[in-house]
């Protein structure tokens, strides 16, 4: 209901990463990266299991040496989501990661070597049906491009990405994903602007090195929203310092808040003001606590008074508009019940469960 805006998503080819399809009309994929030492296969597999539980759909592992490339194979056997090998400097590690079951390679054009090496990689990846992400990072642009533009620029990032896409194409390889990341939002958006019309491949997006805590989350969300609302992005990673599970949680919240994917119930609740005559914060928190057990999408409104309450409650699947010590419950825009404050949460939840059951015939409690 309501005036939901559908973003005009950029059309891209579809690339298969293990069992996950990236690009085209497929859902935007939530990706993360392990922070464990890849050589410690136990710790890495454990972290991936936690990430998977949180909703991560593809995970990337740093492969800095041969031991890590071999451990990659051990990890692969213990987990259920596709694994990406992240390779810098040494193309032979990419070959080894492929032998150890990599579902995708991420190479950095700035440091992987010349066309001869890239062509060997392309041949090996093609033989296994494994895509390659050209991952440009502002912090490691090739020296000649850096010098040509006098520093890190959007033009330089775009040129680096396009050069390496063309290099792969010359090798007859088109199973490509492209990513360009910087820690500056305007720079990231400007760089994408320069390539989105020029290539048909899916985009991996992110604001790299976004930082710590709240500031990192806000920066990631602001940058990713800037890209996604322009229709750009087929797989995304939030980069935060700390436990990567937080990256996955934020990525899912972000996609849901933009109405691009739905993972769980959505709660619309008002900030309250001097007009509110019930303890709305308590009511909203209790409703949220109950809804945490539900994995289906339903739009729920919990509103403090008759100013905006009825409008928002009508717009939700199930809504509650409070008045003085009582409230009206709406379902699909119609008032279905009047409830007193002391029974409000219980009756409201009852109606939400009935709504969910009616919508797919399955009980959620
Ligand atoms: Fe205030 Fe009512 Fe708006 Fe809530 S819905 S913020 S109580 S005016």
């Amino acid at each position: 209901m309501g005036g939901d805006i559908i973003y005009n998503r950029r059309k891209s080819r579809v690339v298969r990463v293990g069992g996950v399809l990236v690009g085209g009309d497929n859902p935007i994929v939530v990706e993360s990266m392990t922070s464990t030492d890849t050589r410690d296969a136990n710790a890495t597999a454990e972290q991936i299991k936690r990430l998977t539980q949180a909703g991560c759909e593809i995970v990337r592992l740093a492969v800095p040496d041969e031991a890590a490339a071999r451990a990659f194979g051990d990890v692969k056997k213990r987990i259920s989501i596709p694994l990406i090998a992240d390779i810098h400097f040494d193309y032979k590690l990419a070959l080894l990661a492929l032998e150890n079951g990599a579902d995708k390679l991420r190479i950095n054009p700035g440091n992987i070597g010349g066309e001869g090496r890239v062509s060997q990689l392309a041949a090996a990846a093609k033989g296994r049906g494994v895509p390659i992400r050209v991952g440009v990072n502002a912090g490691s642009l090739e020296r000649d491009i850096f010098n040509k533009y006098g520093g890190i620029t959007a033009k330089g990032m775009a040129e680096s990405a396009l050069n390496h896409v063309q290099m792969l194409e010359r090798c007859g390889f088109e199973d490509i994903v492209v990513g360009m990341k910087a820690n500056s939002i305007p720079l990231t958006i400007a760089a994408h602007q320069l390539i989105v019309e020029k290539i048909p491949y899916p985009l991996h997006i992110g604001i790299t090195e976004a930082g710590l805590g709240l500031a990192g989350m806000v920066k990631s969300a602001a940058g990713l929203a800037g890209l996604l609302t322009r229709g750009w992005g087929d797989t995304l990673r939030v980069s935060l310092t700390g436990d990567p599970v937080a990256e996955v949680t934020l990525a899912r919240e972000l996609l849901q808040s933009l109405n691009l994917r739905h993972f769980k119930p959505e709660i619309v609740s008002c900030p309250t003001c001097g007009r509110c005559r019930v303890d709305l914060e308590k009511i909203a928190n209790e409703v949220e606590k109950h809804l945490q057990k539900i994995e289906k999408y339903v739009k729920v409104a919990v509103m403090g008074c008759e100013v905006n309450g009825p409008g928002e409650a009508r717009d939700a699947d199930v809504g509650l508009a409070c008045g003085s010590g009582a409230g009206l419950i709406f379902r699909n825009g119609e008032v279905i019940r009047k409830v007193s404050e002391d029974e409000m949460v219980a009756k409201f939840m009852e109606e939400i469960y009935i709504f969910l059951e009616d919508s797919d015939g399955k009980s959620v409690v």
Side-chain angles (χ1 to χ4, degrees):
M1 295 181 79
D4 283 342
I5 294 164
I6 307 298
Y7 311 114
N8 197 4
R9 186 171 172 191
R10 169 184 169 270
K11 290 273 167 264
S12 80
R13 288 191 190 168
V14 177
V15 160
R16 176 181 287 279
V17 183
V20 176
L21 296 176
V22 176
D25 291 326
N26 292 294
I28 297 164
V29 176
V30 174
E31 193 171 314
S32 187
M33 187 164 182
T34 50
S35 57
T36 49
D37 183 336
T38 306
R39 291 167 298 191
D40 184 344
N42 278 337
T44 304
E46 277 316 304
Q47 191 173 69
I48 295 173
K49 282 179 194 161
R50 288 198 303 117
L51 287 166
T52 309
Q53 229 164 19
C56 180
E57 295 161 312
I58 298 184
V59 69
R60 182 157 45 111
L61 278 64
V63 181
D65 57 27
E66 269 191 46
R70 293 189 203 290
F72 192 94
D74 281 349
V75 174
K76 171 91 183 144
K77 284 179 211 135
R78 300 184 208 184
I79 53 107
S80 58
I81 57 174
L83 285 195
I84 306 168
D86 190 81
I87 313 283
H88 293 262
F89 308 115
D90 188 349
Y91 79 108
K92 286 191 185 141
L93 292 175
L95 296 173
L96 202 52
L98 282 174
E99 281 169 29
N100 280 280
D103 296 296
K104 180 177 165 190
L105 294 175
R106 181 272 170 128
I107 57 171
N108 184 333
N111 61 33
I112 203 69
E115 190 151 348
R117 289 172 177 186
V118 172
S119 78
Q120 284 188 56
L121 272 187
K126 198 170 186 177
R128 293 174 189 268
V130 169
I132 296 178
R133 166 151 72 92
V134 170
V136 174
N137 196 306
S140 53
L141 267 185
E142 299 100 302
R143 189 47 48 189
D144 57 335
I145 290 186
F146 183 94
N147 291 338
K148 178 177 169 187
Y149 292 102
I152 300 168
T153 60
K155 278 187 183 164
M157 288 174 68
E159 187 171 315
S160 173
L162 291 175
N163 281 348
H164 283 81
V165 164
Q166 284 157 9
M167 195 184 279
L168 285 171
E169 287 173 342
R170 283 196 296 276
C171 302
F173 191 89
E174 298 193 334
D175 207 5
I176 302 170
V177 177
V178 176
M180 294 184 300
K181 295 187 186 177
N183 66 43
S184 152
I185 296 173
L187 181 61
T188 308
I189 291 176
H192 281 76
Q193 184 80 63
L194 295 172
I195 68 155
V196 285
E197 300 290 331
K198 296 189 177 144
I199 52 167
Y201 307 112
L203 298 172
H204 169 87
I205 57 168
I207 301 299
T208 194
E209 295 123 19
L212 293 147
L214 182 62
M217 291 187 219
V218 171
K219 191 171 184 183
S220 291
L224 286 165
L227 295 163
L228 290 166
T229 52
R230 286 169 168 81
W232 308 336
D234 302 287
T235 160
L236 65 86
R237 182 205 172 188
V238 169
S239 303
L240 296 174
T241 308
D243 187 344
V245 167
E247 298 184 355
V248 175
T249 309
L250 197 149
R252 285 168 56 111
E253 283 290 348
L254 176 66
L255 289 171
Q256 175 148 325
S257 72
L258 293 172
N259 242 336
L260 289 166
R261 288 189 68 178
H262 290 142
F263 301 99
K264 57 176 191 162
E266 174 185 354
I267 307 181
V268 174
S269 64
C270 83
T272 80
C273 70
R275 291 191 185 87
C276 190
R277 294 285 172 267
V278 293
D279 188 347
L280 193 83
E281 190 181 345
K282 183 167 167 258
I283 294 167
N285 276 318
E286 282 177 23
V287 168
E288 189 192 30
K289 213 167 138 197
H290 287 292
L291 290 178
Q292 276 169 3
K293 297 172 211 143
I294 298 173
E295 287 181 356
K296 293 177 195 170
Y297 180 71
V298 55
K299 186 171 176 181
V300 164
V302 181
M303 299 292 295
C305 83
E306 57 282 351
V307 174
N308 294 319
E312 292 290 358
R314 244 182 227 116
D315 188 56
D317 293 316
V318 190
L320 174 65
C322 297
S324 186
L328 294 176
I329 298 180
F330 292 72
R331 174 177 161 156
N332 292 334
E334 304 291 333
V335 177
I336 51 166
R337 226 161 151 175
K338 184 171 180 187
V339 286
S340 61
E341 188 171 355
D342 57 345
E343 58 173 7
M344 217 173 245
V345 173
K347 300 294 178 203
F348 188 50
M349 288 312 303
E350 210 173 278
E351 293 303 334
I352 293 171
Y353 292 134
I354 294 170
F355 175 86
L356 287 167
E357 212 173 313
D358 288 351
S359 40
D360 67 4
K362 286 185 216 144
S363 174
V364 290
V365 282

